[in-house]
Amino acid sequence: MPSSVPSPAAWSRGFRRPSWLSDPRVLRTEVLAGLVVALALIPEAISFSVIAGVDPAIGLFASFTMAVVTAVVGGRPAMISAATGAVALVIAPVNREHGFGYLIATVILAGVFQIVLGAAGVARLMRFVPRSVMVGFVNALAILVFMAQVPELTGVPWPVYPLLAAGLAMMVFFPRVTRVIPAPLVSIAVLTVVTVAAGIAVPTVGDKGRLPSSLPVPGLPDVPFTLDTLTTIAPYALAMALVGLMESLMTARLVDDITDTRSSKTRESVGQGVANIVTGFLGGMGGCAVIGQTMINVRVSGARTRLSTFLAGAFLLTLCVVFGPVVSRIPMAALVAVMIMVCCATFDWHSVAPKTLRRMPAGEIAVMVITVVCVVATHNLAVGVVVGSITAMAVFARRVARLAEVTAVTDPDGGTVIYRVTGALFFASSNDLAGRFDYAGDPERVIIDLSAAHIWDASSVAALDAVEAKYAQRGKTVEITGLNERSARIHGTLSGELAGKG
């Protein structure tokens, strides 16, 4: 009887060896990328903790657990998940009105919602996000990241500005010397050494908040496990789940485009949920994909595997707990320089070039601009994507509605008129369909030829019913011909059933 245990050869065939295990260059890139991302995560995680109204350690722990867990269970390699401003804005009212225990319970429930939504296939909705919205999303992201750096450059000592210029110069010119070490890491190290050695008094990471000195401890949220608690946190949890999934899936799609690879959006949705559940039980504030650090990892540092994501979380915790005093002395100017470079690399400059704008349809430009404006005005990427997508649908509907045409040909004997309808018939194009016919002047027999048209919805069937009714009032007959299979099915099912009955 053959053994049911796979042979070593079968195991080797089923196991895909990670590229960083066989290529030292890939390993070096992933390790250094993870280190750069970890350094860039620290001040932002602290800032988002302030927004949520919690201790800085809560945001740092969330960034650690989100990165580590999604590195294992997420669907998009090299994408960075951590504490984010969008999630902080959603859960801040929970902490303010009900307390920290309810915040943790909200994070855990949001993770459950994300798993359910992911399993239900919500990720497939991303296919309906048009390119113009995606471009607007990317450009708005770059603007938001830049705006977040402005407070670090106002009301600060004058040495901040030459340090910033030096950091930018190093990141522009150092790659021309070598790409073995990421330029952002070199810039951060050099500027830190210079400020410490010269005793230059500038804002540092330590000024943003106290770094944790111990590991997170798992535990249950300190809330009563009752229906009242569930009804209190459920709306916030659902909002957090939707915002987190929106940003994560959009970021995953962006990384897909940059790396020319595909990723499982369903797995990413479920992975985000698992990560938030783990984060909640470890006392973190939850999070989602963080786009600025993802761009550092993928576009600036060149990382491509899960190792960089895992190490970003591992390095983050190590830097805070073990090397906290050293990390605290990193000048904020160094990290601001890194984020400004991220802005420049992220912004789609081609989309705003005069040559591109002259060729793009006005509707596409309007959708891109509306997406950018909504995101920048609300500081919420999800709001911009939703509004931009709705605008794009309206522009598309208006454009397609104009494609529906009606032409009439009368037989030589004058006893029959044939109306040929071309284009897509749906709620927008069928609204004025009834006005295209000459009810009083047409002969006794009317043929409506739909062989070059397609019926998409009930509005179109209702419009055709209205045309038939108007002719019937004048004692004339209408014959509808040329329906394709799907159009015939929807017309046969709904015709005569849509008019109200007295």
Side-chain angles (χ1 to χ4, degrees):
M1 183 175 179
S3 173
S4 60
V5 178
S7 66
W11 277 112
S12 63
R13 288 193 300 269
F15 175 72
R16 185 176 180 180
R17 186 181 179 88
S19 57
W20 50 267
L21 278 179
S22 55
D23 190 340
R25 293 174 298 179
V26 174
L27 177 61
R28 180 183 64 241
T29 298
E30 300 296 313
V31 171
L32 295 177
L35 180 57
V36 174
V37 170
L39 291 169
L41 279 172
I42 294 173
E44 292 214 352
I46 296 174
S47 298
F48 298 146
S49 299
V50 174
I51 293 174
V54 298
D55 188 87
I58 305 302
L60 292 166
F61 287 155
S63 295
F64 157 66
T65 53
M66 290 295 298
V68 169
V69 175
T70 54
V72 178
V73 301
R76 175 63 258 179
M79 190 170 77
I80 305 296
S81 292
T84 61
V87 168
L89 288 170
V90 172
I91 62 175
V94 182
N95 184 58
R96 184 172 58 251
E97 297 171 13
H98 303 285
F100 181 68
Y102 281 83
L103 182 150
I104 296 301
T106 299
V107 171
I108 295 172
L109 182 59
V112 174
F113 282 151
Q114 287 178 329
I115 293 175
V116 172
L117 291 170
V122 70
R124 288 193 291 269
L125 295 176
M126 285 298 103
R127 72 181 67 179
F128 297 108
V129 178
R131 182 184 179 279
S132 53
V133 174
M134 190 68 186
V135 173
F137 167 82
V138 170
N139 291 345
L141 159 69
I143 294 171
L144 282 183
V145 173
F146 180 81
M147 290 173 60
Q149 312 313 310
V150 173
E152 307 296 338
L153 300 175
T154 55
V156 295
W158 69 265
V160 167
Y161 303 109
L163 288 173
L164 174 67
L168 293 172
M170 278 187 278
M171 283 183 285
V172 170
F173 295 108
F174 187 79
R176 301 182 183 182
V177 178
T178 178
R179 293 184 178 271
V180 173
I181 304 176
L185 184 59
V186 174
S187 175
I188 293 170
V190 171
L191 294 184
T192 302
V193 170
V194 169
T195 54
V196 173
I200 302 174
V202 292
T204 64
V205 170
D207 297 329
K208 302 292 289 184
R210 182 175 58 85
L211 300 182
S213 57
S214 60
L215 298 176
V217 178
L220 294 175
D222 184 17
V223 296
F225 292 89
T226 62
L227 183 60
D228 287 341
T229 299
L230 181 62
T231 56
T232 298
I233 66 175
Y236 298 102
L238 181 59
M240 175 183 165
L242 293 174
V243 168
L245 283 183
M246 179 77 72
E247 294 206 19
S248 298
L249 294 176
M250 290 293 289
T251 306
R253 180 172 165 181
L254 176 60
V255 177
D256 288 352
D257 292 341
I258 293 172
T259 60
D260 292 327
T261 57
R262 297 183 64 185
S263 61
S264 172
K265 305 303 183 296
T266 297
R267 177 176 172 180
E268 184 59 43
S269 302
V270 174
Q272 290 288 328
V274 173
N276 273 306
I277 291 174
V278 173
T279 298
F281 282 120
L282 287 174
M285 56 180 276
C288 61
V290 55
I291 308 175
Q293 277 67 23
T294 297
M295 291 299 100
I296 293 176
N297 196 46
V298 175
R299 178 163 277 174
V300 178
S301 300
R304 293 293 184 271
T305 75
R306 298 177 185 275
L307 181 63
S308 60
T309 306
F310 179 87
L311 290 178
F315 283 146
L316 173 64
L317 191 64
T318 303
L319 288 170
C320 292
V321 175
V322 180
F323 299 102
V326 177
V327 174
S328 296
R329 304 187 73 174
I330 295 175
M332 284 301 300
L335 297 178
V336 170
V338 172
M339 298 311 295
I340 289 177
M341 288 299 295
V342 170
C343 296
C344 295
T346 302
F347 196 90
D348 188 347
W349 299 101
H350 176 73
S351 66
V352 296
K355 183 178 180 180
T356 304
L357 295 177
R358 284 196 299 268
R359 295 182 176 182
M360 285 282 288
E364 301 284 325
I365 297 174
V367 169
M368 180 182 70
V369 172
I370 288 172
T371 302
V372 171
V373 170
C374 288
V375 171
V376 174
T378 63
H379 285 234
N380 192 323
L381 294 165
V383 170
V385 171
V386 171
V387 174
S389 297
I390 293 174
T391 305
M393 292 176 187
V395 171
F396 173 77
R398 182 171 180 269
R399 184 182 303 161
V400 175
R402 297 177 177 177
L403 299 180
E405 297 291 341
V406 179
T407 57
V409 177
T410 305
D411 277 357
D413 59 5
T416 303
V417 62
I418 301 175
Y419 283 95
R420 182 174 177 82
V421 182
T422 61
L425 297 180
F426 65 113
F427 62 89
S429 62
S430 60
N431 279 337
D432 62 345
L433 186 66
R436 304 285 189 92
F437 298 86
D438 183 6
Y439 302 101
D442 283 341
E444 299 297 318
R445 183 167 180 261
V446 178
I447 297 176
I448 301 177
D449 180 9
L450 297 179
S451 57
H454 186 93
I455 297 176
W456 286 102
D457 59 8
S459 297
S460 304
V461 177
L464 291 172
D465 284 353
V467 171
E468 291 187 82
K470 288 179 180 294
Y471 277 114
Q473 290 173 359
R474 292 168 173 80
K476 301 175 182 180
T477 61
V478 176
E479 179 184 356
I480 297 177
T481 63
L483 290 169
N484 58 41
E485 181 179 351
R486 189 179 184 282
S487 297
R489 185 164 59 250
I490 190 171
H491 184 266
T493 301
L494 298 178
S495 182
E497 303 294 330
L498 299 175
K501 296 181 180 179

